Amino acid sequence: LDRLPVRNATRILCVSVVQYYRSLDELRTLIAKAKSIAAPGCRMLVADLLVDYSLYKDVLGVLLGGLQSGTFLAKLREVVSGNHSLYARIRAKNPVLTMTRRDLERVCADEGTSLRFIPCNLTGNCFRAHALIDLFPTTGATEQ
């Protein structure tokens, strides 16, 4: 985000990124940097969040996503063999960032933003959370 023009972005998409952060402080930094490049009225979609996380529910979400997309066998192989992959070894040393809904709400409030969770599946895992963050909320704004 540091390379983008200041106050130019009207929409920011952040998909499958935040779970690789090490702490909520890094999420705070992301929101602050997003605000620095955002034009007034800009919203940021943050998708594929590990909110109220459960490993079993996450694996089930991957498999259900495979059923819906016709890739169930590939997803099953991925889940079963996942412990032997390079990705799994890296993840074991660098755990994913999980949070509660209240954690995310608190981070957004601390940064002067507002958020709402989007109750639909935007990625291949129906149990991942997605949030639309209004970077410059105004009182009395109408919902779009």
Side-chain angles (χ1 to χ4, degrees):
L1 294 178
D2 292 333
R3 296 183 184 153
L4 297 174
V6 174
R7 302 282 181 228
N8 201 30
T10 57
R11 300 288 181 260
I12 299 172
L13 301 175
C14 183
V15 180
S16 298
V17 171
V18 172
Q19 69 263 33
Y20 299 109
Y21 286 1
R22 292 176 297 254
S23 70
L24 290 175
D25 287 335
E26 289 183 344
L27 178 57
R28 282 184 181 86
T29 300
L30 171 71
I31 293 171
K33 287 185 184 245
K35 286 177 75 170
S36 76
I37 65 156
C42 181
R43 290 182 174 169
M44 178 168 71
L45 174 66
V46 183
D48 216 21
L49 295 164
L50 300 173
V51 173
D52 301 329
Y53 181 75
S54 154
L55 175 62
Y56 299 109
K57 199 164 121 177
D58 203 49
V59 169
L60 179 60
V62 167
L63 295 175
L64 288 173
L67 274 176
Q68 292 170 343
S69 66
T71 60
F72 178 77
L73 289 178
K75 294 295 180 184
L76 182 60
R77 277 192 295 275
E78 180 183 311
V79 167
V80 171
S81 67
N83 290 332
H84 306 293
S85 71
L86 174 61
Y87 178 77
R89 290 193 301 270
I90 291 169
R91 293 307 333 139
K93 291 179 184 175
N94 303 287
V96 292
L97 177 63
T98 63
M99 66 192 85
T100 65
R101 285 180 181 261
R102 181 67 191 119
D103 290 336
L104 185 55
E105 290 165 349
R106 190 175 318 112
V107 166
C108 286
D110 290 349
E111 293 304 315
T113 64
S114 65
L115 88 135
R116 67 181 170 100
F117 286 96
I118 300 171
C120 63
N121 186 9
L122 300 177
T123 61
N125 188 326
C126 62
F127 295 119
R128 297 279 178 98
H130 318 291
L132 188 61
I133 300 174
D134 187 348
L135 295 173
F136 304 105
T138 56
T139 12
T142 57
E143 193 68 30
Q144 292 181 7

